[in-house]
């Protein structure tokens, strides 16, 4: 008895030991339970000061008031929340300006008694609390002004921020400076594009044309400087890149534009961004770049967003290509597009697929189709080809229904309900088409026994 | 700042390469253009001129005040004396007799200074002479200063300690002060002994803190048997009638506070009942105070009177007072010996008069209504039916109606209280800083906050601020006209009694104990309060009653349990043998 007991005791111990050693030896070891423990230790350790407690309540009251659009009340609580700027906890003191700026600007934005002047005074005060807030607040201040259509003031604020320097600025500040400059550039772009519009209305032979266009030229040079620094920094800068490229293209600097876009799309330091590839593709298309080049750009987009509308263009490019692997990919792209619920009623996609399937099966690439179909045969029938869809598709768009029916027939055979439903319909104009469809299915369906 | 004295230092700043040095008050050089502080101290450069012996002689916590900080020389205990003085003044305006300030509190404080060897003894920690001089300057409007000197001889000699310097005359412009300061390494204070004080840890001495000033106040109130309970005192503090948070603002301009003084005098929490209660006993023991004046039946602090007060406050029928008196009598908590505080007695314990009175009311409510989430509601049905039929008679007390009204009123009150707390202005107009270097920064921040506050207060409607009520020991007025709140004071308890012979006895004959078993270990708490184990009615009552006193519900629960322990002594001894659930009341 005693022996049994001791053995029983020993068992879990050895297990634990094993666990421990395995945990220690494992890479990236962590103790989730310990983490939990630690959190409670931190919060449960010391009694919170009433100051910390009441200011926290105050914060939640402000948030509550903001949520309910009680600007008056929010302003009232804000009055006492400002004390956190003098918090003795240096960490909290450092965090306070940002919180106060965010809450305060929100209140002043909506408060009926507030006006531009109050907001500006507030922003100017907040900018000067703590060195690290100046740029961030300047930028948001400028955005506020933009929102109110005060472009000139916004520009002035940005210019002020641009020239701001404080000793050794940290890297986080550097990107802010770049952002400030880029926004300035954006404002200049706006002015430029307005002028461009005006210019397009003036006759080229007009006397005013030359002066105006000269003005525009000098502007673009300034702007490019503003954009340059930012778009070299990794990040998503769609708006800036687009404007910059538009200006570069206008002045005929194709190489410059291409470089910017290529860098934006291909630099690995940048986050994955579908728009970067779209911009590049559109640019190359305008430039009439070779097909291979276009395909390589869209291939990346296909990997990121297989449902993008450009995929249909991609499909066409692949079809026109000489390479067989491109033809195969062309099929995959179509299947990929139709995997997405948002594309189920895209008639072009269905038409392409119907046509292409038939074409491929005609040249005996059955294996390509089977490869794509393998992963979809479990869910496409209910996803696309249910009886319900057959009825509603026919009712809404009989052309679409026909294309889908052909696909269904080719993939699932003539006995399948979607195909059967559509082929039974009697339609004057479509009668011929349906007949052709029946024939194709009979001949090429992948469900046909291999001859 | 001391740019003159820093002239001899000609090195370039490592940060901004400027040659523009100032001296910090620790004697280190700092760059006036980028505020970079060097590790190089002034005296290192000019050591040759300083005889070492003198440095040792002078380094005893005494400092020369800088030219730019023209302030008085003052000691930490004087700071506390100021706070106590103003608190006593505030109590006087609240209607407390002047003897409290001039005699009781004054004497307690003198005794404290003596016991902690800060004054009135042969070998005080620091020079008495300086101190008395300062006091004469500052406190001429009270008679405290003069008595200080009188008493320093009058009081008996305490044990003669080691030879400490008794009076130190330092020339005002002694050339080597900086050397002395740098040895105290980067700590400084506005008071003479701030640094030393914050580091002092003497065994057996109760050090003064700001919360302890309230303990002193309460001790004096108790001695005078004034009509202010501890919870009242703390509520007055929170409502701003008694200086406490930022009390240092009341110091004269010339008493400069910074550095370590901040840790001593700055407070970021409201006083806590339990904490003050404990320090009060601690101080009374430390001061070796004799038995306090007796708390007799006529005193405000006697449970019978306090129960009456709280019955009015919580809107319960006056008729309940007879029952609370019975409970008080049966438990013996109305006895003089029980109520009178005697710090010398073996059991150094005093009574939480306010908590105890409310606990008695809870016990009576339990006796009448059982509070098991069942009986109180069925009695309410009876009362409602009776009141419906007898509209002209004195109405029966309807627990449900009372609950509804109390719930609403207390929820509103609590909401308002929380809002007021969230709006509380903690930061003083006189900001505290660590050293002279961050002084301008702190002051600038202060100015910034004031400006921002002005801006936001302009957005607030100038609603008339009539809310500010004068201090009152009552928080509710149920008899006020024009409110839809029913006042239950005149309601009758007929419904819960039945006639038996010539006397009335309660209909309810059951009772349950708030604590079945008391904790007998030495962990100091006798019981715990796990809310979910109790009926909702009980929870509700504990919640509103403890909110009234601004104490934790567990404190009230404990007091209820202690009264039950006295009331059902026999049952508890029986419970040892067989522990059964609910017990019959023996009445």
């Amino acid at each position: 008895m005693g022996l049994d007991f001791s053995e029983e005791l020993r068992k879990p111990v050895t297990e634990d030991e094993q666990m421990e050693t395995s945990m220690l030896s494992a890479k990236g070891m962590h103790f989730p339970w310990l983490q939990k423990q630690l959190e409670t230790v931190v919060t449960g350790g010391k009694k919170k000061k009433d100051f910390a407690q009441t200011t926290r309540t105050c914060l939640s009251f402000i948030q509550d008031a903001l949520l309910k659009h009680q600007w008056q009340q929010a302003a009232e609580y804000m009055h006492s929340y400002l004390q956190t700027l003098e918090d003795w906890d240096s960490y909290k003191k450092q965090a306070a300006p940002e919180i106060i700026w965010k809450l305060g600007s929100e209140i002043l934005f909506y408060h009926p008694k507030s006006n531009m002047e109050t907001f500006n005074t507030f922003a100017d005060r907040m900018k000067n609390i703590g060195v690290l807030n100046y740029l961030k607040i300047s930028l948001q201040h400028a955005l506020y002004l933009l929102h109110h259509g005060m472009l000139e003031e916004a520009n002035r604020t940005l210019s002020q921020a641009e020239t701001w320097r404080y000793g050794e600025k940290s890297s986080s500040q550097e990107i802010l400076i770049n952002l400030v400059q880029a926004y300035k550039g954006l404002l200049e772009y706006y002015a430029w594009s307005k002028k461009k519009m005006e210019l397009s209305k003036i006759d080229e032979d007009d006397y005013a044309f030359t002066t105006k266009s000269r003005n525009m030229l000098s502007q673009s040079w300034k702007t490019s400087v503003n954009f340059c620094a930012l778009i070299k920094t990794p990040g998503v800068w769609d708006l800036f890149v687009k404007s910059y490229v538009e200006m570069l293209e206008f002045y005929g600097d194709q190489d410059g534009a291409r470089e910017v876009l290529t860098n934006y799309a291909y630099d690995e330091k940048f986050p994955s961004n579908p728009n970067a590839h779209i911009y590049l593709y559109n640019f190359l298309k305008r430039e009439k770049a070779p097909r291979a080049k276009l395909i390589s750009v869209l291939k990346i987009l296909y990997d990121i967003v297989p449902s993008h509308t450009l995929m249909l263009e991609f499909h066409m490019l692949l079809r026109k290509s000489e390479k067989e692997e491109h033809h195969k990919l062309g099929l995959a792209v179509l299947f990929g597009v139709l995997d997405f619920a948002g594309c189920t009623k895209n008639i072009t996609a269905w038409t392409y697929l119907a046509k292409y399937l038939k074409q491929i099966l005609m040249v005996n690439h059955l294996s390509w189709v089977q490869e794509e179909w393998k992963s979809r045969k479990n869910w496409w029938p209910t996803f696309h080809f249910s009886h319900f869809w057959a009825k509603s598709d026919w009712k809404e768009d009989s052309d679409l229904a026909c294309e889908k029916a052909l696909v269904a027939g080719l993939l699932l055979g003539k006995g399948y309900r979607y195909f059967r439903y559509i082929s039974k319909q009697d339609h004057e104009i479509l009668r011929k088409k349906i007949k052709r469809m029946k024939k194709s299915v009979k001949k090429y369906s992948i469900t046909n026994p291999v001859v | 700042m001391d740019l003159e004295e820093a002239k001899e230092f000609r090195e370039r700043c490592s940060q901004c390469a400027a040659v523009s040095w100032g001296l910090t008050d620790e004697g280190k050089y700092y760059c006036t253009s980028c505020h970079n502080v060097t590790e190089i101290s002034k005296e290192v450069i000019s050591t040759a001129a300083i005889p070492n012996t003198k440095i040792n002689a002078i380094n005893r916590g005494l400092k020369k005040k800088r030219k730019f900080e023209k302030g008085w020389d003052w000691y930490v205990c004087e700071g506390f004396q100021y706070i106590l003085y103003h608190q006593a003044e505030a109590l006087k305006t609240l209607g407390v007799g002047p003897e409290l300030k001039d005699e009781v509190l004054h004497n307690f404080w003198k005794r404290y200074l003596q016991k902690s060897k800060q004054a009135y003894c042969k070998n005080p920690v620091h020079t008495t002479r300086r101190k008395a001089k300062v006091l004469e300057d500052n406190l001429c409007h009270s008679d405290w200063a003069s008595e200080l000197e009188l008493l320093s001889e009058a009081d008996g000699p305490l044990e003669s300690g080691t030879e400490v310097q008794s009076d130190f005359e330092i020339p005002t412009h002694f050339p080597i002060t900086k050397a002395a300061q740098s040895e105290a390494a980067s700590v400084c204070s506005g008071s003479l002994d701030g640094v030393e004080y914050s580091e002092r840890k003497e065994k057996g001495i109760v050090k003064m803190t700001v919360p302890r000033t309230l303990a002193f106040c309460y001790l004096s109130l108790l001695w005078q048997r004034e009509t202010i309970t501890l919870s009242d005192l703390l509520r007055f503090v929170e409502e701003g009638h008694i200086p406490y948070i930022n009390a240092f603002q009341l110091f004269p301009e010339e008493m400069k506070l910074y550095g370590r003084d901040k840790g001593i005098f700055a407070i970021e929490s409201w006083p806590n009942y339990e904490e003050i209660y404990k320090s009060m006993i601690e101080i009374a023991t430390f001061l070796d105070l004799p038995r306090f004046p007796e708390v007799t039946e006529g005193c405000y602090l006697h449970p019978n009177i306090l129960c009456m007060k709280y019955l009015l406050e919580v809107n319960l029928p006056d008729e309940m007072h007879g029952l609370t008196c019975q409970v008080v009598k049966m438990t013996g908590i109305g006895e003089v010996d029980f109520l009178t505080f005697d710090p010398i007695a073996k059991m150094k314990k005093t009574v939480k008069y306010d908590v105890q009175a409310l606990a008695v009311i809870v016990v009576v409510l339990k006796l009448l209504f059982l509070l098991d989430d069942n009986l109180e509601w069925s009695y309410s049905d009876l009362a409602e039916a009776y009141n419906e039929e007898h509209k002209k008679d004195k109405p029966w007390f309807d627990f449900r109606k009372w609950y509804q009204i109390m719930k609403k009123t207390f929820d509103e009150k609590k909401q308002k209280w929380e809002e007021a707390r969230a709006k509380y202005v903690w930061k003083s107009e006189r900001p505290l800083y660590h050293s002279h270097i961050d002084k301008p920064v702190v002051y600038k921040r202060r100015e910034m906050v004031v400006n921002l506050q002005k801006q936001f207060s302009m957005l607030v409607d100038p609603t008339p601020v009539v809310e500010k009520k004068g201090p009152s020991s009552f928080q509710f007025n149920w008899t006020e006209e024009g409110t839809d709140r029913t006042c239950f004071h005149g309601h009758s308890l007929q419904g819960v009694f039945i006639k038996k012979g010539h006397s009335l006895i309660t209909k309810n004959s059951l009772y349950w104990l708030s604590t079945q078993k008391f904790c007998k270990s030495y962990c100091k708490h006798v019981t715990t309060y796990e809310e979910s184990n109790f009926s909702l009615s009980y929870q509700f009552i504990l919640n509103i009653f403890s909110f009234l006193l601004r104490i934790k519900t567990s404190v009230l629960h404990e007091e209820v349990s202690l009264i039950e322990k006295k009331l059902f002594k026999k049952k508890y001894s029986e419970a040892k043998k067989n522990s059964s659930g609910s017990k019959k009341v023996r009445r």
Side-chain angles (χ1 to χ4, degrees):
Chain A
M1 171 92 175
L3 225 146
D4 284 349
F5 185 58
S6 63
E7 254 173 22
E8 249 177 291
L9 259 177
R10 212 176 294 142
K11 215 170 135 196
V13 173
T14 46
E15 260 176 19
D16 274 358
E17 272 171 3
Q18 270 169 0
M19 277 248 290
E20 241 176 61
T21 45
S22 72
M23 267 158 98
L24 284 170
S25 60
K27 252 189 182 176
M29 139 192 129
H30 70 294
F31 299 110
W33 51 269
L34 190 65
Q35 190 61 38
K36 224 179 204 173
Q37 207 94 3
L38 283 175
E39 274 162 27
T40 52
V41 168
V42 172
T43 51
K46 212 164 140 194
K47 196 191 166 260
K48 264 220 176 100
K49 294 256 168 74
D50 284 336
F51 173 76
Q53 259 168 359
T54 59
T55 48
R56 212 181 45 191
T57 327
C58 190
L59 176 64
S60 69
F61 280 148
I62 296 174
Q63 288 167 333
D64 208 40
L66 288 179
L67 210 66
K68 292 176 186 159
H69 292 212
Q70 298 165 337
W71 315 117
Q72 168 104 12
Q73 239 158 19
E76 224 170 292
Y77 285 116
M78 197 63 194
H79 182 269
S80 20
Y81 192 70
L82 288 165
Q83 294 180 87
T84 53
L85 286 171
E86 292 178 279
D87 204 316
W88 290 334
D89 179 332
S90 61
Y91 174 75
K92 281 188 186 154
K93 187 170 145 188
Q94 230 166 36
E98 195 174 338
I99 301 173
I100 285 173
W101 162 249
K102 279 184 181 158
L103 296 172
S105 55
E106 186 85 356
I107 294 168
L108 293 177
F109 192 91
Y110 291 106
H111 199 289
K113 271 197 206 160
S114 161
N115 52 36
M116 193 68 70
E117 206 183 317
T118 358
F119 192 93
N120 289 347
T121 332
F122 177 63
D124 285 337
R125 278 187 183 139
M126 292 310 294
K127 275 178 211 170
N128 292 311
I129 289 182
V131 178
L132 293 177
N133 298 307
Y134 188 86
L135 288 177
K136 215 185 280 177
I137 291 173
S138 291
L139 199 56
Q140 288 181 40
H141 184 200
L143 292 178
Y144 168 85
L145 293 167
L146 278 180
H147 188 91
H148 284 266
M150 305 178 76
L151 301 184
E152 244 171 75
E153 281 83 351
N155 201 21
R156 203 178 311 132
T157 307
L158 289 171
S159 301
Q160 259 170 29
E162 195 185 16
T163 50
W164 175 89
R165 288 291 178 278
Y166 192 89
E168 283 178 24
K169 52 185 193 287
S170 61
S171 58
S172 70
Q173 295 290 296
E174 214 169 303
I175 197 173
L176 277 172
I177 289 180
N178 291 341
L179 252 178
V180 166
Q181 284 173 342
Y183 268 103
K184 238 190 118 202
L186 208 62
L187 280 178
E188 277 155 16
Y189 163 79
Y190 179 74
W192 175 83
S193 125
K194 236 166 66 182
K195 274 189 198 140
K196 199 174 99 176
M197 286 279 286
E198 283 166 22
L199 206 61
S200 66
K201 284 177 201 153
I202 304 172
D203 192 23
E204 262 187 55
D205 303 322
D206 198 301
Y207 160 75
F209 185 82
T210 36
T211 37
K212 282 235 167 178
S213 59
R214 199 182 302 133
N215 273 347
M216 283 180 69
L217 212 69
S218 66
Q219 190 128 29
S220 105
W221 177 81
K222 263 196 327 205
T223 312
S224 67
V225 176
N226 281 329
F227 284 135
C228 265
L230 180 72
I231 59 181
K232 274 183 194 138
T233 331
V236 178
W237 313 118
D238 291 353
L239 196 60
F240 306 105
V241 168
K242 232 173 126 176
S243 316
Y244 187 34
V245 167
E246 191 188 330
M247 292 174 91
L248 287 174
E249 271 190 277
F250 184 82
Y251 292 106
D253 187 2
Q254 304 295 328
D255 293 334
R258 190 182 313 109
E259 197 195 314
V260 168
L261 286 170
T262 315
N263 181 58
Y264 191 50
Y266 288 111
D267 195 325
E268 276 179 4
K269 288 196 284 293
F270 279 62
S272 160
N273 178 6
N275 284 341
H277 302 284
I278 295 164
Y279 296 155
L280 181 60
Y281 171 75
N282 284 332
F283 173 79
L284 292 171
K285 210 166 92 176
R286 281 197 296 275
E287 228 191 11
K288 307 220 161 43
R291 192 188 299 134
K293 181 93 196 159
L294 294 175
I295 287 178
S296 73
V297 175
L298 285 181
K299 174 80 177 53
I300 299 172
L301 185 63
Y302 169 66
D303 290 336
I304 318 173
V305 196
S307 63
H308 198 271
T309 42
L310 275 179
M311 286 305 109
L312 296 175
E313 262 184 80
F314 184 39
H315 166 76
M316 286 315 279
L317 283 171
L318 291 168
R319 248 166 93 168
K320 282 181 202 148
S321 165
E322 284 89 36
K323 289 187 191 161
E324 188 156 278
E325 59 173 301
H326 281 167
H327 296 163
K328 195 182 165 193
L329 182 61
L331 184 69
V333 166
L334 284 179
F335 270 106
V337 168
L338 290 166
D339 278 344
F340 289 87
C343 305
T344 48
K345 289 198 172 151
N346 190 332
I347 182 153
T348 328
W350 284 110
T351 316
Y352 281 4
L353 183 61
K355 228 186 222 165
Y356 200 50
L357 261 181
K358 203 170 114 186
Q359 193 186 324
I360 280 176
L361 290 168
M362 270 161 79
V363 291
N364 263 331
H365 281 308
L366 182 66
S367 62
W368 294 3
V369 181
Q370 275 167 338
E371 199 180 303
E372 292 303 323
W373 184 238
K374 214 170 106 189
S375 60
R376 293 182 173 89
K377 66 178 172 202
N378 284 331
W379 59 284
W380 266 41
T382 39
F383 183 59
H384 287 308
F385 305 126
S386 66
H387 189 67
F388 165 80
W389 277 126
K391 268 206 283 195
S392 82
D393 284 346
W394 181 257
K395 212 166 142 192
E396 275 175 36
D397 187 350
S398 45
D399 281 320
L400 172 74
C402 281
E403 302 298 342
K404 274 180 84 174
L406 179 52
V407 175
L410 289 173
L411 294 170
L412 293 155
K414 59 182 177 189
Y416 197 72
R417 55 198 169 190
Y418 194 99
F419 177 77
R420 246 186 17 218
Y421 182 86
I422 303 297
S423 58
K424 265 191 229 155
Q425 300 299 321
D426 193 32
H427 196 280
E428 267 179 58
I429 309 157
L430 290 174
R431 193 174 294 148
K432 246 187 183 166
K433 199 174 177 180
I434 292 172
K435 210 170 165 191
R436 232 181 313 145
M437 179 180 90
K438 282 186 192 161
K439 228 165 97 186
S440 308
V441 169
K442 207 169 168 188
K443 221 165 160 186
Y444 302 114
S445 176
I446 59 168
T447 54
N448 291 345
V450 184
V451 189
Chain B
M1 299 177 201
D2 285 65
L3 299 179
E4 276 303 310
E5 292 169 74
K7 264 191 172 162
E8 59 218 75
F9 192 53
R10 303 296 318 162
E11 265 177 52
R12 283 193 176 279
C13 170
S14 58
Q15 296 243 325
C16 68
V19 188
S20 165
W21 298 102
L23 268 177
T24 69
D25 55 336
E26 293 107 53
K28 288 181 175 173
Y29 290 100
Y30 74 95
C31 177
T32 53
S33 61
C34 71
H35 293 272
N36 170 35
V37 182
T38 62
E39 282 307 304
I40 306 158
S41 304
K42 177 164 158 67
E43 79 285 350
V44 176
I45 292 162
S46 49
T47 357
I50 310 159
N52 267 327
T53 45
K54 275 192 182 173
I55 300 177
N56 293 336
I58 251 212
N59 185 24
R60 296 216 107 126
L62 294 172
K63 284 184 196 169
K64 185 196 80 171
K65 292 285 113 182
R66 326 300 328 259
K67 281 167 271 172
F68 51 85
E69 267 293 340
K70 270 196 215 107
W72 285 334
D73 287 351
W74 61 282
Y75 288 94
V76 170
C77 67
E78 285 172 74
F80 286 119
Q81 187 164 307
Y82 256 103
I83 295 175
L84 282 172
Y85 173 79
H86 285 285
Q87 284 172 339
E89 280 290 319
L91 284 171
K92 219 162 88 179
T93 37
L94 285 175
V96 171
E99 308 81 36
L100 179 121
K101 174 177 156 252
D102 298 337
E103 285 164 27
V104 186
L105 183 56
H106 186 193
N107 273 317
F108 284 169
W109 180 242
K110 276 192 307 198
R111 217 175 161 103
Y112 173 76
L113 288 178
Q114 187 187 35
K115 291 269 181 191
S116 60
K117 292 180 210 150
Q118 297 187 74
Y120 307 108
C121 55
K122 273 205 168 160
N123 299 303
V125 180
H126 33 248
T127 66
T128 35
R129 199 132 70 90
R130 280 173 154 281
K131 184 168 168 50
K133 202 177 117 233
V134 178
L135 282 171
E136 256 169 343
D137 291 346
N138 308 349
L139 286 174
C140 45
H141 45 294
S142 85
D143 57 345
W144 289 35
S146 51
E147 272 192 53
L148 261 176
E149 275 178 308
L150 273 172
L151 262 144
S152 55
E153 283 111 70
D155 268 278
L158 288 147
E159 63 270 53
S160 50
T162 45
E163 287 296 312
V164 198
Q165 81 285 16
S166 53
D167 50 322
F168 231 129
E169 278 298 310
I170 21 157
T172 11
H173 290 287
F174 211 77
I176 47 159
T177 14
K178 237 155 259 143
Q181 277 178 359
S182 75
E183 275 195 32
S186 80
V187 276
C188 56
S189 67
S191 57
L192 289 174
D193 59 341
V195 177
E196 199 190 350
Y197 190 88
S198 54
E199 278 158 11
R200 212 160 88 200
K201 273 183 204 127
E202 239 168 290
K203 220 180 157 189
I205 283 194
V206 176
K207 240 165 89 172
M208 243 345 241
T209 60
V210 180
R212 284 193 176 131
T213 57
L214 291 177
F216 266 98
C217 288
Y218 183 60
L219 273 177
S220 327
L221 287 169
L222 190 59
W223 186 277
Q224 288 298 93
R225 292 175 289 183
E226 282 289 346
T227 55
I228 294 180
T229 60
L230 181 53
S231 62
D232 287 335
L233 178 74
L234 303 189
R235 190 163 48 82
F236 292 149
V237 167
E238 206 184 300
E239 287 169 2
H241 302 302
I242 295 168
Y244 179 72
I245 284 154
N246 296 334
F248 59 84
Q249 283 186 118
L250 298 164
F251 295 180
E253 189 73 29
E254 292 84 352
M255 277 169 81
K256 302 286 177 196
L257 272 101
Y258 57 85
R260 283 296 175 88
D261 302 331
K262 185 176 159 183
I264 301 169
F265 290 105
I267 286 289
E268 285 205 306
S269 281
W270 284 293
N272 167 282
Y273 189 102
E274 293 282 279
E275 192 194 327
I276 306 293
Y277 175 79
K278 261 186 222 148
S279 17
M280 174 204 121
I281 297 176
E282 204 178 11
I283 290 170
T285 322
F286 176 65
L287 298 185
D288 220 6
L289 293 180
R291 186 179 154 106
F292 274 49
E294 288 184 341
V295 178
T296 51
E297 237 168 295
C299 289
Y300 179 74
L301 295 176
H302 191 275
N304 285 351
I305 292 178
L306 276 179
C307 277
M308 176 75 98
K309 186 217 152 174
Y310 286 117
L311 281 174
L312 288 173
E313 186 82 318
V314 297
N315 201 10
L316 284 167
D318 304 334
E319 283 181 14
M320 272 177 72
H321 190 239
L323 300 166
T324 59
C325 290
Q326 272 187 54
V327 171
V328 167
K329 200 166 178 203
M330 284 162 78
T331 50
I333 57 171
E335 306 288 320
V336 173
D337 283 340
F338 177 79
L339 291 170
T340 306
F341 180 34
D342 189 356
I344 306 174
K346 253 191 183 168
M347 283 288 280
K348 283 159 200 142
K349 230 179 128 183
T350 177
V351 178
K352 295 169 184 166
Y353 302 95
D354 35 14
V355 186
Q356 184 185 264
L358 274 171
V360 170
I361 296 174
V362 174
V363 170
V364 170
L365 281 170
K366 277 171 83 179
L367 284 167
L368 291 177
F369 297 98
L370 193 59
L371 305 184
D372 64 345
D373 283 345
N374 190 11
L375 194 69
E376 63 270 35
W377 305 123
S378 55
Y379 282 177
S380 303
D381 293 338
L382 289 177
E384 203 184 332
Y386 174 88
N387 291 342
E388 199 58 38
E389 280 170 33
H390 307 80
K391 278 192 176 154
K392 278 187 187 149
D393 293 358
K394 194 178 182 182
W396 282 6
F397 176 72
D398 180 345
F399 185 87
R400 183 181 292 116
K401 222 169 151 196
W402 177 80
Y403 164 80
Q404 283 162 349
I405 282 167
M406 296 307 278
K407 170 107 177 90
K408 191 164 163 272
T409 318
F410 268 81
D411 282 352
E412 279 166 14
K413 186 94 176 173
K414 213 166 185 174
Q415 177 72 24
K416 271 202 191 133
W417 176 73
E418 251 173 45
E419 284 170 9
R421 274 167 82 101
K423 283 183 192 164
Y424 190 81
V425 179
W426 289 94
K427 295 297 173 185
S428 89
E429 291 148 27
R430 205 173 143 178
L432 296 173
Y433 47 92
H434 284 297
S435 66
H436 294 301
I437 293 184
D438 65 32
K439 184 183 174 184
V441 181
V442 169
Y443 270 84
K444 200 186 158 208
R445 202 26 95 94
R446 177 73 228 160
E447 198 191 315
M448 203 73 117
V449 170
V450 170
N451 284 335
L452 284 167
Q453 280 177 334
K454 259 187 218 150
Q455 192 176 13
F456 277 93
S457 52
M458 280 197 301
L459 296 176
V460 178
D461 256 347
T463 39
V465 194
V466 275
E467 274 292 312
K468 193 82 184 164
K469 272 196 293 185
S472 163
S473 50
F474 280 96
Q475 299 176 59
F476 293 95
N477 182 3
W478 301 100
T479 49
E480 207 173 4
E481 293 285 323
T483 53
D484 55 346
R485 299 181 311 206
T486 318
C487 172
F488 292 94
H489 295 158
H491 287 215
S492 138
L493 291 173
Q494 283 286 317
V496 292
F497 281 99
I498 42 171
K499 230 180 186 154
K500 203 170 190 184
H502 287 291
S503 56
L504 288 167
I505 61 161
T506 54
K507 266 192 201 168
N508 168 41
S509 59
L510 296 171
Y511 198 84
W512 54 272
L513 296 168
S514 292
T515 299
Q516 297 278 347
K517 248 183 179 169
F518 284 89
C519 180
K520 282 202 181 119
S521 63
Y522 295 97
C523 52
K524 294 239 167 114
H525 66 85
V526 287
T527 178
T528 50
Y529 179 53
E530 175 62 48
E531 214 176 35
S532 55
N533 290 344
F534 294 91
S535 68
L536 293 171
S537 301
Y538 183 71
Q539 284 178 39
F540 170 74
I541 285 166
L542 282 201
N543 273 333
I544 63 167
F545 284 12
S546 55
F547 173 69
L548 205 63
L549 303 183
R550 313 280 196 267
I551 54 169
K552 278 190 267 166
T553 38
S554 56
V555 177
L556 182 57
H557 174 76
E558 184 180 306
E559 204 67 34
V560 170
S561 306
L562 288 173
I563 288 173
E564 285 175 355
K565 194 181 176 184
K566 292 194 179 91
L567 196 58
F568 301 105
K569 245 180 257 157
K570 226 184 204 167
K571 291 285 161 196
Y572 270 106
S573 49
E574 274 171 28
K576 275 180 192 166
K577 289 165 212 158
N578 55 338
S579 50
S580 58
S582 53
K583 295 163 177 73
K584 287 216 169 175
V585 190
R586 22 165 224 140
R587 296 202 95 192

